[in-house]
Amino acid sequence: MCRVVSYLGTPLSLNTLLYESDSSLVRQAYDPSIMAVLNLAGFGVAAWRSAEENEEALLYKDPGLPMFDRNLMSLARTYDGSCIVAHVRGANYFEAGSADVGRSNLHPFRFSGSRLTLAHNGGLHRFAEMKYDLLPFIRPELASKIEGTTDSEWIYALVLSQIDGPDHDLAPEEIRDAVFGALRIIRDVRTRRGIDLASGVNLFVTDGRSLIATRFAYDFGCYEGRISESNRMFQSLWYTTGRDYGLHYGEWQMTGAVEDADSILIASEPLTRDVSKWIEVPEYTLLTVNRDGGRISIQATDVDV
């Protein structure tokens, strides 16, 4: 199953998140600490240097292995981001369409003309049966931009379709409500189709200024047929807050008091050996993270759809 790391705060080197930390995202591609599943179906990252409204995000994707990607290594050493979402993809060979490995299926997704970006950890089982039932809820100009075969890109288009003008300056609550709206539509379509199989929907959604993350699954515990072991687990999600994430006193960690935090890391699994400063996000929870006046605020909301 895919692994994701997201960051919002003072500018941080991509190299720190992707390569340097104890359990960096690139290491999780071949040696994850929580789920013993390889994630070798490609890499992608979206990043912003600042929260300026007109800033164009960096978007880098490659279907190869990030541990051997010299271009990515060079980029990571020279780029600092105030908002970062990076993703290593694990293809599910038991679900039609999701095993296709190629650039068009790599996360994070960002359509031209939209600042909003989305990465997904999980999978909608029997998606091929339901995806065209989602089409009436996706604006035609957005549906025409779908290029790949993954459920994740359809979820992204569905989220964007809940917003009037996805290129506008969005409040964190607007992004949160768009995510909730998309999750409700998917629930309704699954119900009409009689689909009640466990389907993980851990989403990471950002516009470079705020960050939404979910730890959620439809019908967890319901399975049939041959299911990969990773899909029998509730996809993990953790976060840590503080200042100046880096190597301090021989350990990768944030510094400072939680109440004085100016940065947050949200990831599928902790990036450090010492997890004492990481908090596991409860199941069926949505986090809304905003950075205002140099301080991080976090709001947790129950996901009940």
Side-chain angles (χ1 to χ4, degrees), residues 215-246:
R215 188 182 184 202
F216 176 70
Y218 294 104
D219 305 304
F220 181 70
C222 298
Y223 311 105
E224 71 175 13
R226 186 180 183 185
I227 303 295
S228 65
E229 189 60 32
S230 64
N231 285 315
R232 298 183 185 275
M233 301 175 64
F234 208 112
Q235 275 80 39
S236 54
L237 191 67
W238 298 72
Y239 75 90
T240 184
T241 61
R243 290 174 171 267
D244 188 27
Y245 178 72

PDB file of all heavy atoms in Angstrom, residues 215-246:
ATOM      1  N   ARG A 215      -7.899   9.887   7.886  1.00  0.00           N
ATOM      2  CA  ARG A 215      -7.664   8.471   8.150  1.00  0.00           C
ATOM      3  C   ARG A 215      -9.038   7.822   8.177  1.00  0.00           C
ATOM      4  O   ARG A 215      -9.772   7.909   9.166  1.00  0.00           O
ATOM      5  CB  ARG A 215      -6.927   8.238   9.471  1.00  0.00           C
ATOM      6  CG  ARG A 215      -6.513   6.766   9.639  1.00  0.00           C
ATOM      7  CD  ARG A 215      -5.828   6.471  10.944  1.00  0.00           C
ATOM      8  NE  ARG A 215      -5.404   5.076  10.964  1.00  0.00           N
ATOM      9  CZ  ARG A 215      -5.155   4.383  12.066  1.00  0.00           C
ATOM     10  NH1 ARG A 215      -5.249   4.962  13.265  1.00  0.00           N
ATOM     11  NH2 ARG A 215      -4.793   3.113  11.990  1.00  0.00           N
ATOM     12  N   PHE A 216      -9.385   7.185   7.069  1.00  0.00           N
ATOM     13  CA  PHE A 216     -10.764   6.745   6.878  1.00  0.00           C
ATOM     14  C   PHE A 216     -10.804   5.505   5.998  1.00  0.00           C
ATOM     15  O   PHE A 216      -9.956   5.310   5.124  1.00  0.00           O
ATOM     16  CB  PHE A 216     -11.591   7.864   6.231  1.00  0.00           C
ATOM     17  CG  PHE A 216     -13.005   7.476   5.902  1.00  0.00           C
ATOM     18  CD1 PHE A 216     -13.926   7.272   6.909  1.00  0.00           C
ATOM     19  CD2 PHE A 216     -13.392   7.290   4.588  1.00  0.00           C
ATOM     20  CE1 PHE A 216     -15.233   6.902   6.613  1.00  0.00           C
ATOM     21  CE2 PHE A 216     -14.692   6.916   4.272  1.00  0.00           C
ATOM     22  CZ  PHE A 216     -15.613   6.728   5.297  1.00  0.00           C
ATOM     23  N   ALA A 217     -11.795   4.665   6.240  1.00  0.00           N
ATOM     24  CA  ALA A 217     -12.052   3.504   5.384  1.00  0.00           C
ATOM     25  C   ALA A 217     -13.548   3.253   5.337  1.00  0.00           C
ATOM     26  O   ALA A 217     -14.250   3.380   6.355  1.00  0.00           O
ATOM     27  CB  ALA A 217     -11.334   2.267   5.901  1.00  0.00           C
ATOM     28  N   TYR A 218     -14.033   2.922   4.153  1.00  0.00           N
ATOM     29  CA  TYR A 218     -15.417   2.451   4.028  1.00  0.00           C
ATOM     30  C   TYR A 218     -15.457   0.976   4.420  1.00  0.00           C
ATOM     31  O   TYR A 218     -14.611   0.186   4.004  1.00  0.00           O
ATOM     32  CB  TYR A 218     -15.897   2.582   2.578  1.00  0.00           C
ATOM     33  CG  TYR A 218     -16.025   3.988   2.059  1.00  0.00           C
ATOM     34  CD1 TYR A 218     -15.067   4.512   1.189  1.00  0.00           C
ATOM     35  CD2 TYR A 218     -17.092   4.793   2.410  1.00  0.00           C
ATOM     36  CE1 TYR A 218     -15.181   5.793   0.685  1.00  0.00           C
ATOM     37  CE2 TYR A 218     -17.217   6.085   1.914  1.00  0.00           C
ATOM     38  CZ  TYR A 218     -16.257   6.582   1.056  1.00  0.00           C
ATOM     39  OH  TYR A 218     -16.366   7.856   0.566  1.00  0.00           O
ATOM     40  N   ASP A 219     -16.436   0.626   5.233  1.00  0.00           N
ATOM     41  CA  ASP A 219     -16.770  -0.780   5.507  1.00  0.00           C
ATOM     42  C   ASP A 219     -15.560  -1.611   5.907  1.00  0.00           C
ATOM     43  O   ASP A 219     -15.362  -2.734   5.419  1.00  0.00           O
ATOM     44  CB  ASP A 219     -17.441  -1.404   4.276  1.00  0.00           C
ATOM     45  CG  ASP A 219     -18.662  -0.619   3.830  1.00  0.00           C
ATOM     46  OD1 ASP A 219     -19.566  -0.430   4.650  1.00  0.00           O
ATOM     47  OD2 ASP A 219     -18.693  -0.172   2.669  1.00  0.00           O
ATOM     48  N   PHE A 220     -14.756  -1.064   6.804  1.00  0.00           N
ATOM     49  CA  PHE A 220     -13.562  -1.787   7.230  1.00  0.00           C
ATOM     50  C   PHE A 220     -13.944  -3.122   7.878  1.00  0.00           C
ATOM     51  O   PHE A 220     -14.876  -3.200   8.674  1.00  0.00           O
ATOM     52  CB  PHE A 220     -12.757  -0.955   8.230  1.00  0.00           C
ATOM     53  CG  PHE A 220     -11.503  -1.636   8.696  1.00  0.00           C
ATOM     54  CD1 PHE A 220     -10.443  -1.813   7.820  1.00  0.00           C
ATOM     55  CD2 PHE A 220     -11.395  -2.135   9.980  1.00  0.00           C
ATOM     56  CE1 PHE A 220      -9.284  -2.461   8.224  1.00  0.00           C
ATOM     57  CE2 PHE A 220     -10.240  -2.779  10.394  1.00  0.00           C
ATOM     58  CZ  PHE A 220      -9.189  -2.941   9.509  1.00  0.00           C
ATOM     59  N   GLY A 221     -13.229  -4.178   7.515  1.00  0.00           N
ATOM     60  CA  GLY A 221     -13.493  -5.507   8.049  1.00  0.00           C
ATOM     61  C   GLY A 221     -14.304  -6.387   7.138  1.00  0.00           C
ATOM     62  O   GLY A 221     -14.460  -7.581   7.408  1.00  0.00           O
ATOM     63  N   CYS A 222     -14.817  -5.819   6.029  1.00  0.00           N
ATOM     64  CA  CYS A 222     -15.628  -6.597   5.087  1.00  0.00           C
ATOM     65  C   CYS A 222     -14.778  -6.947   3.866  1.00  0.00           C
ATOM     66  O   CYS A 222     -14.289  -6.051   3.161  1.00  0.00           O
ATOM     67  CB  CYS A 222     -16.847  -5.792   4.648  1.00  0.00           C
ATOM     68  SG  CYS A 222     -17.960  -5.362   5.994  1.00  0.00           S
ATOM     69  N   TYR A 223     -14.600  -8.231   3.604  1.00  0.00           N
ATOM     70  CA  TYR A 223     -13.741  -8.682   2.517  1.00  0.00           C
ATOM     71  C   TYR A 223     -14.418  -9.820   1.769  1.00  0.00           C
ATOM     72  O   TYR A 223     -15.333 -10.462   2.270  1.00  0.00           O
ATOM     73  CB  TYR A 223     -12.394  -9.194   3.055  1.00  0.00           C
ATOM     74  CG  TYR A 223     -11.724  -8.256   4.026  1.00  0.00           C
ATOM     75  CD1 TYR A 223     -11.728  -8.535   5.393  1.00  0.00           C
ATOM     76  CD2 TYR A 223     -11.108  -7.097   3.594  1.00  0.00           C
ATOM     77  CE1 TYR A 223     -11.117  -7.678   6.297  1.00  0.00           C
ATOM     78  CE2 TYR A 223     -10.499  -6.230   4.476  1.00  0.00           C
ATOM     79  CZ  TYR A 223     -10.505  -6.531   5.828  1.00  0.00           C
ATOM     80  OH  TYR A 223      -9.922  -5.680   6.714  1.00  0.00           O
ATOM     81  N   GLU A 224     -13.912 -10.068   0.557  1.00  0.00           N
ATOM     82  CA  GLU A 224     -14.312 -11.258  -0.187  1.00  0.00           C
ATOM     83  C   GLU A 224     -13.204 -11.614  -1.166  1.00  0.00           C
ATOM     84  O   GLU A 224     -12.436 -10.754  -1.616  1.00  0.00           O
ATOM     85  CB  GLU A 224     -15.624 -11.024  -0.943  1.00  0.00           C
ATOM     86  CG  GLU A 224     -15.496 -10.085  -2.131  1.00  0.00           C
ATOM     87  CD  GLU A 224     -16.787  -9.963  -2.928  1.00  0.00           C
ATOM     88  OE1 GLU A 224     -17.831 -10.407  -2.426  1.00  0.00           O
ATOM     89  OE2 GLU A 224     -16.730  -9.429  -4.049  1.00  0.00           O
ATOM     90  N   GLY A 225     -13.091 -12.860  -1.500  1.00  0.00           N
ATOM     91  CA  GLY A 225     -12.116 -13.305  -2.488  1.00  0.00           C
ATOM     92  C   GLY A 225     -10.691 -13.088  -2.032  1.00  0.00           C
ATOM     93  O   GLY A 225     -10.380 -13.055  -0.837  1.00  0.00           O
ATOM     94  N   ARG A 226      -9.810 -12.927  -3.002  1.00  0.00           N
ATOM     95  CA  ARG A 226      -8.389 -12.776  -2.741  1.00  0.00           C
ATOM     96  C   ARG A 226      -8.071 -11.306  -2.490  1.00  0.00           C
ATOM     97  O   ARG A 226      -8.164 -10.472  -3.384  1.00  0.00           O
ATOM     98  CB  ARG A 226      -7.583 -13.299  -3.923  1.00  0.00           C
ATOM     99  CG  ARG A 226      -6.084 -13.325  -3.680  1.00  0.00           C
ATOM    100  CD  ARG A 226      -5.355 -13.852  -4.901  1.00  0.00           C
ATOM    101  NE  ARG A 226      -3.925 -13.939  -4.648  1.00  0.00           N
ATOM    102  CZ  ARG A 226      -3.029 -14.280  -5.573  1.00  0.00           C
ATOM    103  NH1 ARG A 226      -3.446 -14.546  -6.803  1.00  0.00           N
ATOM    104  NH2 ARG A 226      -1.751 -14.341  -5.268  1.00  0.00           N
ATOM    105  N   ILE A 227      -7.682 -10.979  -1.277  1.00  0.00           N
ATOM    106  CA  ILE A 227      -7.391  -9.611  -0.890  1.00  0.00           C
ATOM    107  C   ILE A 227      -5.952  -9.543  -0.392  1.00  0.00           C
ATOM    108  O   ILE A 227      -5.508 -10.399   0.378  1.00  0.00           O
ATOM    109  CB  ILE A 227      -8.344  -9.128   0.233  1.00  0.00           C
ATOM    110  CG1 ILE A 227      -9.805  -9.258  -0.212  1.00  0.00           C
ATOM    111  CG2 ILE A 227      -8.024  -7.695   0.619  1.00  0.00           C
ATOM    112  CD1 ILE A 227     -10.190  -8.379  -1.355  1.00  0.00           C
ATOM    113  N   SER A 228      -5.199  -8.525  -0.833  1.00  0.00           N
ATOM    114  CA  SER A 228      -3.827  -8.377  -0.368  1.00  0.00           C
ATOM    115  C   SER A 228      -3.822  -8.093   1.129  1.00  0.00           C
ATOM    116  O   SER A 228      -4.751  -7.500   1.680  1.00  0.00           O
ATOM    117  CB  SER A 228      -3.126  -7.241  -1.115  1.00  0.00           C
ATOM    118  OG  SER A 228      -3.722  -6.007  -0.832  1.00  0.00           O
ATOM    119  N   GLU A 229      -2.759  -8.520   1.793  1.00  0.00           N
ATOM    120  CA  GLU A 229      -2.668  -8.378   3.245  1.00  0.00           C
ATOM    121  C   GLU A 229      -2.739  -6.919   3.677  1.00  0.00           C
ATOM    122  O   GLU A 229      -3.303  -6.602   4.722  1.00  0.00           O
ATOM    123  CB  GLU A 229      -1.354  -9.005   3.749  1.00  0.00           C
ATOM    124  CG  GLU A 229      -1.261  -9.097   5.267  1.00  0.00           C
ATOM    125  CD  GLU A 229      -2.373  -9.943   5.883  1.00  0.00           C
ATOM    126  OE1 GLU A 229      -2.825 -10.897   5.234  1.00  0.00           O
ATOM    127  OE2 GLU A 229      -2.800  -9.628   7.011  1.00  0.00           O
ATOM    128  N   SER A 230      -2.195  -6.019   2.871  1.00  0.00           N
ATOM    129  CA  SER A 230      -2.211  -4.602   3.236  1.00  0.00           C
ATOM    130  C   SER A 230      -3.623  -4.057   3.342  1.00  0.00           C
ATOM    131  O   SER A 230      -3.895  -3.148   4.133  1.00  0.00           O
ATOM    132  CB  SER A 230      -1.414  -3.783   2.209  1.00  0.00           C
ATOM    133  OG  SER A 230      -2.027  -3.854   0.937  1.00  0.00           O
ATOM    134  N   ASN A 231      -4.549  -4.608   2.548  1.00  0.00           N
ATOM    135  CA  ASN A 231      -5.919  -4.125   2.585  1.00  0.00           C
ATOM    136  C   ASN A 231      -6.715  -4.703   3.742  1.00  0.00           C
ATOM    137  O   ASN A 231      -7.881  -4.346   3.937  1.00  0.00           O
ATOM    138  CB  ASN A 231      -6.624  -4.439   1.260  1.00  0.00           C
ATOM    139  CG  ASN A 231      -6.168  -3.518   0.152  1.00  0.00           C
ATOM    140  OD1 ASN A 231      -6.062  -2.319   0.354  1.00  0.00           O
ATOM    141  ND2 ASN A 231      -5.864  -4.081  -1.002  1.00  0.00           N
ATOM    142  N   ARG A 232      -6.122  -5.599   4.515  1.00  0.00           N
ATOM    143  CA  ARG A 232      -6.779  -6.102   5.720  1.00  0.00           C
ATOM    144  C   ARG A 232      -6.448  -5.244   6.936  1.00  0.00           C
ATOM    145  O   ARG A 232      -6.926  -5.508   8.031  1.00  0.00           O
ATOM    146  CB  ARG A 232      -6.363  -7.557   5.981  1.00  0.00           C
ATOM    147  CG  ARG A 232      -6.767  -8.516   4.872  1.00  0.00           C
ATOM    148  CD  ARG A 232      -6.409  -9.951   5.213  1.00  0.00           C
ATOM    149  NE  ARG A 232      -6.689 -10.843   4.103  1.00  0.00           N
ATOM    150  CZ  ARG A 232      -7.887 -11.389   3.856  1.00  0.00           C
ATOM    151  NH1 ARG A 232      -8.893 -11.122   4.666  1.00  0.00           N
ATOM    152  NH2 ARG A 232      -8.065 -12.200   2.830  1.00  0.00           N
ATOM    153  N   MET A 233      -5.606  -4.225   6.728  1.00  0.00           N
ATOM    154  CA  MET A 233      -5.218  -3.326   7.811  1.00  0.00           C
ATOM    155  C   MET A 233      -5.843  -1.960   7.588  1.00  0.00           C
ATOM    156  O   MET A 233      -6.071  -1.542   6.458  1.00  0.00           O
ATOM    157  CB  MET A 233      -3.688  -3.191   7.871  1.00  0.00           C
ATOM    158  CG  MET A 233      -2.948  -4.489   8.079  1.00  0.00           C
ATOM    159  SD  MET A 233      -1.159  -4.253   7.988  1.00  0.00           S
ATOM    160  CE  MET A 233      -0.890  -3.176   9.400  1.00  0.00           C
ATOM    161  N   PHE A 234      -6.126  -1.268   8.684  1.00  0.00           N
ATOM    162  CA  PHE A 234      -6.596   0.113   8.583  1.00  0.00           C
ATOM    163  C   PHE A 234      -5.355   0.971   8.316  1.00  0.00           C
ATOM    164  O   PHE A 234      -4.455   1.036   9.135  1.00  0.00           O
ATOM    165  CB  PHE A 234      -7.274   0.551   9.884  1.00  0.00           C
ATOM    166  CG  PHE A 234      -8.322   1.598   9.695  1.00  0.00           C
ATOM    167  CD1 PHE A 234      -9.665   1.310   9.910  1.00  0.00           C
ATOM    168  CD2 PHE A 234      -7.987   2.881   9.289  1.00  0.00           C
ATOM    169  CE1 PHE A 234     -10.640   2.285   9.739  1.00  0.00           C
ATOM    170  CE2 PHE A 234      -8.945   3.854   9.108  1.00  0.00           C
ATOM    171  CZ  PHE A 234     -10.277   3.561   9.334  1.00  0.00           C
ATOM    172  N   GLN A 235      -5.313   1.605   7.149  1.00  0.00           N
ATOM    173  CA  GLN A 235      -4.120   2.359   6.774  1.00  0.00           C
ATOM    174  C   GLN A 235      -3.727   3.342   7.887  1.00  0.00           C
ATOM    175  O   GLN A 235      -4.559   4.059   8.421  1.00  0.00           O
ATOM    176  CB  GLN A 235      -4.341   3.131   5.468  1.00  0.00           C
ATOM    177  CG  GLN A 235      -4.097   2.319   4.220  1.00  0.00           C
ATOM    178  CD  GLN A 235      -5.269   1.423   3.861  1.00  0.00           C
ATOM    179  OE1 GLN A 235      -6.418   1.823   4.009  1.00  0.00           O
ATOM    180  NE2 GLN A 235      -4.992   0.229   3.393  1.00  0.00           N
ATOM    181  N   SER A 236      -2.449   3.368   8.196  1.00  0.00           N
ATOM    182  CA  SER A 236      -1.949   4.153   9.318  1.00  0.00           C
ATOM    183  C   SER A 236      -1.779   5.622   8.947  1.00  0.00           C
ATOM    184  O   SER A 236      -1.640   5.981   7.776  1.00  0.00           O
ATOM    185  CB  SER A 236      -0.608   3.582   9.789  1.00  0.00           C
ATOM    186  OG  SER A 236       0.297   3.505   8.703  1.00  0.00           O
ATOM    187  N   LEU A 237      -1.781   6.489   9.972  1.00  0.00           N
ATOM    188  CA  LEU A 237      -1.558   7.921   9.792  1.00  0.00           C
ATOM    189  C   LEU A 237      -1.047   8.504  11.108  1.00  0.00           C
ATOM    190  O   LEU A 237      -1.629   8.264  12.165  1.00  0.00           O
ATOM    191  CB  LEU A 237      -2.844   8.629   9.366  1.00  0.00           C
ATOM    192  CG  LEU A 237      -2.682  10.077   8.898  1.00  0.00           C
ATOM    193  CD1 LEU A 237      -1.901  10.135   7.591  1.00  0.00           C
ATOM    194  CD2 LEU A 237      -4.037  10.751   8.733  1.00  0.00           C
ATOM    195  N   TRP A 238       0.042   9.273  11.021  1.00  0.00           N
ATOM    196  CA  TRP A 238       0.692   9.835  12.204  1.00  0.00           C
ATOM    197  C   TRP A 238       1.060  11.290  11.939  1.00  0.00           C
ATOM    198  O   TRP A 238       1.195  11.700  10.783  1.00  0.00           O
ATOM    199  CB  TRP A 238       1.996   9.075  12.514  1.00  0.00           C
ATOM    200  CG  TRP A 238       1.829   7.627  12.839  1.00  0.00           C
ATOM    201  CD1 TRP A 238       1.510   6.616  11.971  1.00  0.00           C
ATOM    202  CD2 TRP A 238       1.993   7.009  14.112  1.00  0.00           C
ATOM    203  NE1 TRP A 238       1.461   5.414  12.623  1.00  0.00           N
ATOM    204  CE2 TRP A 238       1.761   5.622  13.949  1.00  0.00           C
ATOM    205  CE3 TRP A 238       2.329   7.489  15.384  1.00  0.00           C
ATOM    206  CZ2 TRP A 238       1.851   4.715  14.992  1.00  0.00           C
ATOM    207  CZ3 TRP A 238       2.422   6.591  16.429  1.00  0.00           C
ATOM    208  CH2 TRP A 238       2.177   5.227  16.232  1.00  0.00           C
ATOM    209  N   TYR A 239       1.222  12.057  13.040  1.00  0.00           N
ATOM    210  CA  TYR A 239       1.729  13.425  12.862  1.00  0.00           C
ATOM    211  C   TYR A 239       2.585  13.835  14.048  1.00  0.00           C
ATOM    212  O   TYR A 239       2.496  13.277  15.144  1.00  0.00           O
ATOM    213  CB  TYR A 239       0.582  14.421  12.654  1.00  0.00           C
ATOM    214  CG  TYR A 239      -0.218  14.791  13.884  1.00  0.00           C
ATOM    215  CD1 TYR A 239       0.153  15.884  14.684  1.00  0.00           C
ATOM    216  CD2 TYR A 239      -1.370  14.082  14.236  1.00  0.00           C
ATOM    217  CE1 TYR A 239      -0.588  16.241  15.800  1.00  0.00           C
ATOM    218  CE2 TYR A 239      -2.114  14.435  15.340  1.00  0.00           C
ATOM    219  CZ  TYR A 239      -1.716  15.518  16.122  1.00  0.00           C
ATOM    220  OH  TYR A 239      -2.453  15.861  17.228  1.00  0.00           O
ATOM    221  N   THR A 240       3.442  14.816  13.793  1.00  0.00           N
ATOM    222  CA  THR A 240       4.267  15.417  14.834  1.00  0.00           C
ATOM    223  C   THR A 240       4.367  16.906  14.555  1.00  0.00           C
ATOM    224  O   THR A 240       4.375  17.324  13.390  1.00  0.00           O
ATOM    225  CB  THR A 240       5.668  14.775  14.896  1.00  0.00           C
ATOM    226  OG1 THR A 240       6.408  15.329  15.998  1.00  0.00           O
ATOM    227  CG2 THR A 240       6.449  15.001  13.622  1.00  0.00           C
ATOM    228  N   THR A 241       4.422  17.718  15.596  1.00  0.00           N
ATOM    229  CA  THR A 241       4.488  19.168  15.440  1.00  0.00           C
ATOM    230  C   THR A 241       5.665  19.724  16.236  1.00  0.00           C
ATOM    231  O   THR A 241       6.173  19.078  17.153  1.00  0.00           O
ATOM    232  CB  THR A 241       3.195  19.849  15.918  1.00  0.00           C
ATOM    233  OG1 THR A 241       3.009  19.560  17.317  1.00  0.00           O
ATOM    234  CG2 THR A 241       1.986  19.351  15.141  1.00  0.00           C
ATOM    235  N   GLY A 242       6.071  20.912  15.899  1.00  0.00           N
ATOM    236  CA  GLY A 242       7.156  21.566  16.612  1.00  0.00           C
ATOM    237  C   GLY A 242       7.845  22.575  15.722  1.00  0.00           C
ATOM    238  O   GLY A 242       7.205  23.251  14.917  1.00  0.00           O
ATOM    239  N   ARG A 243       9.178  22.638  15.857  1.00  0.00           N
ATOM    240  CA  ARG A 243       9.990  23.563  15.073  1.00  0.00           C
ATOM    241  C   ARG A 243      11.253  22.864  14.577  1.00  0.00           C
ATOM    242  O   ARG A 243      11.709  21.904  15.186  1.00  0.00           O
ATOM    243  CB  ARG A 243      10.403  24.772  15.930  1.00  0.00           C
ATOM    244  CG  ARG A 243       9.269  25.719  16.293  1.00  0.00           C
ATOM    245  CD  ARG A 243       9.731  26.799  17.262  1.00  0.00           C
ATOM    246  NE  ARG A 243       8.707  27.821  17.434  1.00  0.00           N
ATOM    247  CZ  ARG A 243       8.632  28.935  16.730  1.00  0.00           C
ATOM    248  NH1 ARG A 243       9.561  29.178  15.803  1.00  0.00           N
ATOM    249  NH2 ARG A 243       7.675  29.801  16.934  1.00  0.00           N
ATOM    250  N   ASP A 244      11.775  23.354  13.470  1.00  0.00           N
ATOM    251  CA  ASP A 244      13.117  22.997  13.016  1.00  0.00           C
ATOM    252  C   ASP A 244      13.331  21.489  12.956  1.00  0.00           C
ATOM    253  O   ASP A 244      14.223  20.943  13.600  1.00  0.00           O
ATOM    254  CB  ASP A 244      14.154  23.648  13.955  1.00  0.00           C
ATOM    255  CG  ASP A 244      15.582  23.491  13.433  1.00  0.00           C
ATOM    256  OD1 ASP A 244      15.740  23.376  12.210  1.00  0.00           O
ATOM    257  OD2 ASP A 244      16.513  23.472  14.258  1.00  0.00           O
ATOM    258  N   TYR A 245      12.495  20.805  12.167  1.00  0.00           N
ATOM    259  CA  TYR A 245      12.676  19.363  12.029  1.00  0.00           C
ATOM    260  C   TYR A 245      14.049  19.056  11.449  1.00  0.00           C
ATOM    261  O   TYR A 245      14.461  19.607  10.424  1.00  0.00           O
ATOM    262  CB  TYR A 245      11.603  18.761  11.110  1.00  0.00           C
ATOM    263  CG  TYR A 245      11.789  17.280  10.905  1.00  0.00           C
ATOM    264  CD1 TYR A 245      11.507  16.383  11.933  1.00  0.00           C
ATOM    265  CD2 TYR A 245      12.272  16.771   9.701  1.00  0.00           C
ATOM    266  CE1 TYR A 245      11.697  15.020  11.763  1.00  0.00           C
ATOM    267  CE2 TYR A 245      12.458  15.413   9.519  1.00  0.00           C
ATOM    268  CZ  TYR A 245      12.172  14.547  10.549  1.00  0.00           C
ATOM    269  OH  TYR A 245      12.364  13.193  10.382  1.00  0.00           O
ATOM    270  N   GLY A 246      14.790  18.185  12.131  1.00  0.00           N
ATOM    271  CA  GLY A 246      16.126  17.826  11.663  1.00  0.00           C
ATOM    272  C   GLY A 246      16.804  16.899  12.644  1.00  0.00           C
ATOM    273  O   GLY A 246      16.161  16.308  13.526  1.00  0.00           O
TER     274      GLY A 246
END
